[in-house]
Amino acid sequence: HGERRLRAATARKSCPSAARAATSSRRCRARATGATGRRCTNMVAAAAIAANKKRQAKAKAKRDALRKQLENDKREAEGFFNEISTDDGKTIPSDKLADLLQRAIGDDHTVNDDGKNMVLNHLGKKQGSEPPHENLQLPKDDVVEAIGKYRYFLTHADKIERLFAEFDKNHNNILEKAELKKAMQAIEDREHSGTNARVVFGMETRVRVTDEDVDYIMELCDESGDGGIDRAEALPALARWDSLANIHVEQQKSCACAVS
């Protein structure tokens, strides 16, 4: 090795043009390497931008679909209300509420007394009434709004009741921040393991619920402003968490691509 280096050095001294050619070659390789690196960086950045646009497009499509569904639900509820009302669609008597709720959620589910009373309590409070809220005339706008708020609770009442039985430790009928965090983590771990696990490049990954995640969910879903998630808000909150967890997984994929 020493002899080869000595011969190379001697050749450079005896032939300056060869030395310049060697130096030029090294510079070209360095520039090529730098250009390749920049191209790779640009490709990663472009892929990240494209992935972000795709996620935004999917999120917008979901929001648009949800908005259309809510609009359809509202029109349907108004139609059922008009069928039951006896004063040209202005009000219905409180003893007809259960019938209206059953029509709204369909034959695949059954409105139990707890569900009906939850909606009736909501409507009664708006009129300044005290339980059991009998002999009330319920105005159309209030009833349709209540159906929109409670429809998905009524169709998943058993799941929500199990959730509150397990995590509402102080029995105040809301999931406060710490309780909501535990509930979200438990559901994430139960529903996304084994064959249903979230996967990043073929490997199972666990998504951890952070305080920032809970704050975000509370901000979006605590419509009553009572500092917690009540039964009617629980399903939207869990749906929001599932969307947020999917975003976390996509971010892990992006980070893995950048590292590789």
Side-chain angles (χ1 to χ4, degrees), residues 49-62:
I49 292 172
N52 186 51
K53 287 182 177 180
K54 188 175 181 180
R55 285 195 297 270
Q56 290 178 346
K58 285 184 177 180
K60 183 179 184 300
K62 286 182 179 180

Side-chain angles (χ1 to χ4, degrees), residues 75-108:
R75 284 194 294 270
E76 185 180 63
E78 289 173 342
F80 292 141
F81 186 98
N82 292 336
E83 292 174 4
I84 293 174
S85 174
T86 58
D87 58 1
D88 297 324
K90 295 177 182 177
T91 65
I92 61 168
S94 53
D95 61 1
K96 294 292 185 181
L97 179 62
D99 182 19
L100 176 58
L101 294 176
Q102 187 61 63
R103 296 190 192 195
I105 67 173
D107 296 333
D108 292 337

Side-chain angles (χ1 to χ4, degrees), residues 119-138:
V119 179
L120 186 57
N121 286 337
H122 173 79
L123 294 168
K125 287 179 180 178
K126 285 202 164 193
Q127 297 192 22
S129 169
E130 296 292 334
H133 307 298
E134 296 176 339
N135 303 316
L136 297 180
Q137 288 298 123
L138 305 174

Side-chain angles (χ1 to χ4, degrees), residues 183-236:
M184 289 163 54
Q185 189 65 68
I187 291 173
E188 175 66 24
D189 294 343
R190 292 170 189 169
E191 296 188 357
H192 296 282
S193 61
T195 57
N196 295 321
R198 301 187 190 275
V199 176
V200 175
F201 295 121
M203 296 183 63
E204 182 176 338
T205 185
R206 295 188 67 194
V207 178
R208 307 306 302 176
V209 181
T210 67
D211 290 339
E212 290 76 14
D213 293 335
V214 179
D215 289 339
Y216 174 74
I217 298 298
M218 294 276 281
E219 180 181 352
L220 290 177
C221 300
D222 181 19
E223 295 183 358
S224 59
D226 56 6
I229 297 298
D230 63 28
R231 284 170 170 78
E233 297 161 344
L235 274 177

Side-chain angles (χ1 to χ4, degrees), residues 159-176:
K159 178 179 180 179
I160 298 302
E161 289 303 332
R162 290 195 299 271
L163 183 73
F164 273 74
E166 182 174 359
F167 295 103
D168 181 19
K169 298 302 184 182
N170 56 5
H171 307 292
N172 63 347
N173 293 316
I174 62 172
L175 296 178
E176 296 168 351

